[in-house]
Amino acid sequence: MRDLAEKWSAVPDWKTAVITAEGLAIRSASGFSQCLVSGDIAAWSKASGMAAEAVGALATATGRSYALRIARDRILAVSETPFDIAPGWHEEGFAVSAHDAGLHMFEIEGPGLASLLARAMTLDPQATTPSAAVLFAGVNALCCRHGHGDRLRLHVDRGLAPYLWKWLEQTLAL
């Protein structure tokens, strides 16, 4: 039987993998709690104690926890500490799904960010959008700036993270 695994990119050691090129440092970010919240976002905010304001693509989020807008009634809540709300349906009108294992997060930082964004996306690197959902290098992703304009956090399906890493390596090597 053929070994189809040989067609897939090798998964880097995410704890130590770093790409530095063209004024950028790219690394895997781990240890974050990620929850997909659907339904009444204001009720989620009240129950979780997290601000309901969610940011869209290329907007700047700040703090140890933040929310990325996916749709009017859906966000990805991200935090450095675990959320104190159980997954499942809540009578207040929202559902919570733990998404820690589903999404891989990259942090891309440096003055070369605008150039990379111009290659990876069709959006104006200086603009923001209501939804954080974008197509980044051919991969569906959620993204925002974090803390300042030269730091991007990118959330992608975990299975596509090695592909995106390879794309970043090859693109920045050109």
Side-chain angles (χ1 to χ4, degrees), residues 137-160:
V139 173
N140 289 323
L142 300 172
C143 74
C144 71
R145 288 183 164 92
H146 188 265
H148 57 81
D150 285 343
R151 181 186 301 139
L152 184 81
R153 286 198 174 160
L154 189 65
H155 303 257
V156 299
D157 287 338
R158 187 163 303 279
L160 296 173

Side-chain angles (χ1 to χ4, degrees), residues 20-79:
T20 53
E22 297 187 26
L24 290 171
I26 305 169
R27 62 185 46 86
S28 178
S30 61
F32 289 82
S33 291
Q34 301 178 80
C35 290
L36 186 63
V37 180
S38 302
D40 187 342
I41 303 302
W44 150 263
S45 177
K46 186 176 178 181
S48 69
M50 185 176 168
E53 186 63 35
V55 300
L58 304 180
T60 302
T62 58
R64 297 174 53 114
S65 62
Y66 58 92
L68 300 174
R69 173 80 53 202
I70 300 170
R72 290 176 196 205
D73 63 347
R74 182 164 290 168
I75 63 170
L76 178 71
V78 181
S79 178

Side-chain angles (χ1 to χ4, degrees), residues 85-110:
I85 294 185
W89 174 254
H90 293 261
E91 291 300 319
E92 295 91 336
F94 63 89
V96 177
S97 301
H99 227 43
D100 298 347
L103 296 176
H104 189 93
M105 188 165 72
F106 291 106
E107 194 163 83
I108 304 170
E109 186 170 15

